[in-house]
Amino acid sequence: MSRCIQLAKNGKGNTSPNPMVGAVIINNGVIIGEGYHVKYGEGHAEVNAIRSVKNPDLFKDSTIYVSLEPCSHYGKTPPCADLIIEKGIPRIVVGCVDPFSKVSGRGIQKLREAGRDVKVGILEQECLRLNKRFIEANTKHRPYVTLKWAQSADGFIDKERNDGTPEILSSPFTQMLVHKKRCETDAILVGSRTAMLDDPSLTARLWYGKNPVRIVIDRKLTLSKTLKLFDGTVKTLVFTEKEAPNSFNLEYITSDFGTDLPINILNFLQSRQIQSVLVEGGRETIQHFIDLDLWDEAFIEKTMKKLGSGVKSPVLNGGNLIEIQTYSSSLIEFHLNKF
């Protein structure tokens, strides 16, 4: 099962809205096949593992290990449970049950009804953590929310300003780490002030992978169309209380701007099968998600540089500090909230 998890991680950033899954086929203590879900819309882990076996005659005395329950329904591909039954594999070991409503125990039930020996719950917590974003979307019915900011040693994220160049607190290396995280996330969100003052691209240009969907909150539609967010290169969603015509890669979503705006945004993203969102700023936007307890993890870079004054950093309410990574001029804290 550890090997299944290792394989599954190779699909990170490419399988959403499907989960990451790995599969290993064993015969007499020897691995004879393995595979993982490479990309959304393509073959699942079980399919790729079965295809990799050179001698199909070995299936009748083999065990297949899968990090997530085999699917039992027709989606982009046929049911994996049916394929396992068809190939005559007698034993199946499952890491964790799939929370997706169209599966959720049905795959295991189908295998058992076909007379297969099925064991469930091997390295269960590790398998659940592997797909925390997928599980969050299917149990809490909202995208997995990651908060990200960089702050000075004296607790500021920027100097007070109305225009001009933002205060750079991240190093080139930690900027690269942020872009890696962008590749692994479905969407990235900023408020109008950040968009106006920083003119960010919100792409993953410093790391190999796909760009996330860009999201900006622009209540009065005051942002200039010359900003990089509106260059049409990446799908961009604008949440506003006004109506505006859509154009190529640009969509306006009219929304209620009351206290529940983050909830409205997450509900809309869930309806679009966007399972994870990275909230990058600014302070007011991030704090709004924190105050509504709408966050799952936080990625906070703390630098040695002092600003003396400026825009105070957000303040987490609750959660647990689970890891600290130290670099030459900064450290990064990883906080987890109730998972």
Side-chain angles (χ1 to χ4, degrees):
M1 192 60 70
S2 293
R3 177 59 176 163
C4 289
I5 294 171
Q6 184 182 42
L7 287 166
K9 290 178 180 178
N10 290 324
K12 182 175 273 191
N14 294 313
T15 64
S16 181
N18 284 351
M20 295 177 285
V21 184
V24 174
I25 302 173
I26 303 289
N27 181 274
N28 291 323
V30 177
I31 293 177
I32 61 170
E34 59 182 26
Y36 66 96
H37 186 30
V38 178
K39 187 177 181 181
Y40 175 65
E42 298 182 0
H44 289 185
E46 300 93 322
V47 174
N48 292 330
I50 286 170
R51 285 174 178 169
S52 73
V53 175
K54 294 181 179 179
N55 183 2
D57 292 337
L58 297 176
F59 285 138
K60 65 181 182 296
D61 191 31
S62 296
T63 302
I64 184 169
Y65 289 75
V66 189
S67 58
L68 187 72
E69 175 184 4
C71 63
S72 56
H73 68 292
Y74 283 86
K76 292 284 185 181
T77 58
C80 291
D82 288 0
L83 180 64
I84 292 170
I85 294 168
E86 175 193 326
K87 296 300 180 181
I89 301 173
R91 294 175 296 277
I92 301 93
V93 180
V94 177
C96 63
V97 174
D98 190 337
F100 182 47
S101 60
K102 291 185 178 180
V103 183
S104 195
R106 293 179 179 86
I108 293 167
Q109 180 182 357
K110 178 178 280 192
L111 291 167
R112 285 175 172 162
E113 288 176 349
R116 302 304 192 264
D117 177 15
V118 184
K119 291 183 173 60
V120 183
I122 308 304
L123 293 185
E124 183 176 30
Q125 291 305 310
E126 290 86 343
C127 291
L128 289 170
R129 282 196 293 271
L130 171 69
N131 283 302
K132 57 190 178 183
R133 298 175 181 184
F134 173 78
I135 290 168
E136 187 85 353
N138 283 281
T139 54
K140 292 188 177 180
H141 307 291
R142 67 161 175 81
Y144 190 88
V145 177
T146 300
L147 310 177
K148 176 269 168 186
W149 72 86
Q151 66 182 62
S152 65
D154 47 357
F156 299 97
I157 62 172
D158 200 357
K159 290 186 175 180
E160 291 284 0
R161 57 193 173 91
N162 293 317
D163 52 27
T165 304
E167 192 70 34
I168 303 298
L169 296 173
S170 299
S171 69
F173 181 75
T174 56
Q175 285 178 347
M176 183 178 65
L177 292 180
V178 171
H179 284 233
K180 177 178 182 292
K181 189 166 285 290
R182 289 179 180 180
C183 286
E184 299 167 354
T185 306
D186 291 342
I188 181 171
L189 182 149
V190 296
S192 57
R193 181 174 172 81
T194 298
M196 177 181 66
L197 296 181
D198 297 354
D199 191 14
S201 298
L202 300 185
T203 60
R205 60 196 177 278
L206 300 181
W207 194 265
Y208 176 79
K210 66 177 179 60
N211 290 313
V213 174
R214 302 185 295 200
I215 303 169
V216 61
I217 300 170
D218 186 11
R219 182 172 187 172
K220 301 294 184 181
L221 293 183
T222 56
L223 292 176
S224 170
K225 295 304 179 290
T226 62
L227 294 175
K228 297 185 183 73
L229 283 172
F230 303 116
D231 61 11
T233 59
V234 179
K235 177 69 176 178
T236 302
L237 306 178
V238 181
F239 282 85
T240 176
E241 65 180 10
K242 296 180 175 294
E243 293 187 2
N246 299 330
S247 58
F248 177 72
N249 265 347
L250 180 63
E251 182 178 357
Y252 292 90
I253 299 97
T254 305
S255 185
D256 180 3
F257 269 68
T259 57
D260 293 337
L261 177 62
I263 297 175
N264 296 336
I265 291 174
L266 294 181
N267 286 340
F268 179 85
L269 299 183
Q270 180 79 356
S271 72
R272 291 291 183 89
Q273 290 193 305
I274 293 175
Q275 293 185 347
S276 57
V277 58
L278 180 64
V279 182
E280 284 206 15
R283 184 196 186 283
E284 183 178 338
T285 301
I286 293 174
Q287 195 66 52
H288 202 171
F289 277 84
I290 293 172
D291 293 344
L292 290 173
D293 199 28
L294 292 174
W295 67 281
D296 299 289
E297 66 178 65
F299 176 92
I300 307 170
E301 182 177 355
K302 295 186 174 181
T303 69
M304 297 172 61
K305 185 175 183 178
K306 292 185 178 182
L307 296 182
S309 63
V311 180
K312 293 290 291 183
S313 66
V315 178
L316 286 178
N317 296 326
N320 298 300
L321 176 61
I322 59 169
E323 185 182 359
I324 298 177
Q325 295 179 359
T326 304
Y327 303 97
S328 58
S329 59
S330 63
L331 59 85
I332 294 178
E333 293 182 352
F334 294 89
H335 296 255
L336 199 60
N337 186 23
K338 302 174 186 176
F339 183 82

